[in-house]
Amino acid sequence: MSNDIWQGAGRRIHIQEVGMRDGLQMEQAFVPTEEKIALANALSAAGLSKIEVTSFVSPSAIPALRDAEIVMREITRVPGVVYTALVPNVRGAERAIEARTDELNLVMSASATHNLANLRMTQERSFAALAQVIATAQSAGVSVNVSLSCVFGCPMEGDVASEAVFGWVQRFVDLGVAGITLCDTTGMAYPSQVQPLAAAARARWPGVLFTLHFHNTRGMGLANVLAGIAAGVDCYDTSLGGLGGCPYAPGASGNVCSEEIVHALQLMGYDTGVDLAQLIAAARRLPALIGHELPGQIVKAGRRLDLHPVPADFEATRVRALARA
Amino acid sequence: MSNDIWQGAGRRIHIQEVGMRDGLQMEQAFVPTEEKIALANALSAAGLSKIEVTSFVSPSAIPALRDAEIVMREITRVPGVVYTALVPNVRGAERAIEARTDELNLVMSASATHNLANLRMTQERSFAALAQVIATAQSAGVSVNVSLSCVFGCPMEGDVASEAVFGWVQRFVDLGVAGITLCDTTGMAYPSQVQPLAAAARARWPGVLFTLHFHNTRGMGLANVLAGIAAGVDCYDTSLGGLGGCPYAPGASGNVCSEEIVHALQLMGYDTGVDLAQLIAAARRLPALIGHELPGQIVKAGRRLDLHPVPADFEATRVRALARA
């Protein structure tokens, strides 16, 4: 794969929306069920490749997503779009499969400390629980993706060795998992790390579909996407409006913003398959749903060629300037 | 110049601070003169290559910078650091030279509409005025840099033809100007445009020192810097804390943030010569000086390896998890 990423030349890049799960799960406001369904439908219509619709966790653990079944059942399914959901255990898998979820997204952390702090389990116990979920999905004929957290660093441990990451990838591949997401959970990834790590993963498991999941916490989100593209990865998790913060960095940006990434990649000649105007329209509706502004810049600044009128006194200025010239 | 920009391998990149001029000129608050001097001294001490200290415009036009002479005279000069200032005309040039400014920075726009709207002159009249300034600087033996606005697009005209840009570059080069800054005044630049344009400029004028000046208005700032690095450009304008908004995009980010760019480039193995801890310390002092928060993420999120403690209940969680494992 060439490092010449500056000209997209029509290369297809898949944009996978995670805002409805990774974003809404952190919000104080409960977004009404019908609004969630309308949002998922708007995202499907805009042409996103995959939508993480919700999370089949315990409703008491994440009340914001307590309507998982209704949302997943009532969205309008667009052919070709993959509707995925986070599933923590066999009970969640059964609920998700019953609600006709296309793909189960499983999460554990590449950092032992983060796994304990966040999931309250050892990594071995997480793996054993996810192995049961994978078996459940396989007997139902439902796809599985595993999202590994803290692949590019842990906010408590620091760097995470790539061999530790790759050890977990191998164990999931051995269970028959065909999709792996390498997650930069707290915005620690940087391009010089992303490019070789993603290239090494693709070289070692050519049959696995890798997704990269970046946060813009330290302003490196788009640069990391470009480093991933240079490494040959075609699938990226993004979040509408940049929904979804980082508990370790109050006030900082969280997930990379869907419409910012699509805007940039389209300008660069990549084919995202997304209708940017529809995506921006969906993003504009978000602040009213969640009760606060979002970090995404495109809603504030407009697209690159959304032009501005000349100032009101422009004609008078021009006449005076020409008279003096 | 190789497109393999992912590993910096010690390549020197010069970071040129514009916040004190391009940022402060837009602020409502008057930053006290002694605070400006302290800020410039902190930036010099942090290792920035060049500092645009102020603007020698009419004090009534930009009251925020009405103390230009005192600031330029009283800062502590660090050998090797270039202290530059914006100069609009011969009167400004005389003031700047009298105050021992190392370099005069001249501005006109590559967009005819933007030049009229912003400078209230035709481009020809701007060029004639700047030619006088250049002559004044040359007889005093002071360096000149010309910053061309709207090189990557005009918020009113849209795209600006690169041949129009290069026509202005040639005319300034013909006057003996050795430094040209290609400015993305309102955040319209994108990497696929930056890389070939910057490469073409360097190929055509190998003796000219080109700087790139980007805004992060649409989230492409760092990606554009990397595209410029791929094209062989070594000098970048940045602004502490991301100071300096864009009048065409209220609420959106303005200039690329100095500490974000330095943080990213250092992680990537580039040599910026900057002490990042000192730069962040200077950025932390800004909100108190100007009375509002800034878009820079590093002040909020910390550096990549500024680690966080484990949660208070971590040890109990760990003991329970191990008992269950």
Side-chain angles (χ1 to χ4, degrees), chain B residues 14-35:
Chain B
H14 296 277
I15 304 296
Q16 308 178 167
E17 176 64 36
V18 299
M20 293 191 65
R21 196 280 299 173
D22 199 9
L24 290 187
Q25 72 179 9
M26 296 186 59
E27 294 295 329
Q28 295 298 312
F30 178 79
V31 174
T33 305
E34 60 273 29
E35 296 284 2

Side-chain angles (χ1 to χ4, degrees), chain A residues 6 159 188 192 304 313, chain B residues 6 120 159 188 192 304 313:
Chain A
W6 307 113
D159 278 315
M188 296 175 74
S192 305
R304 174 175 183 271
D313 64 349
Chain B
W6 307 114
R120 301 182 167 265
D159 277 315
M188 296 175 72
S192 304
R304 175 175 183 269
D313 63 350

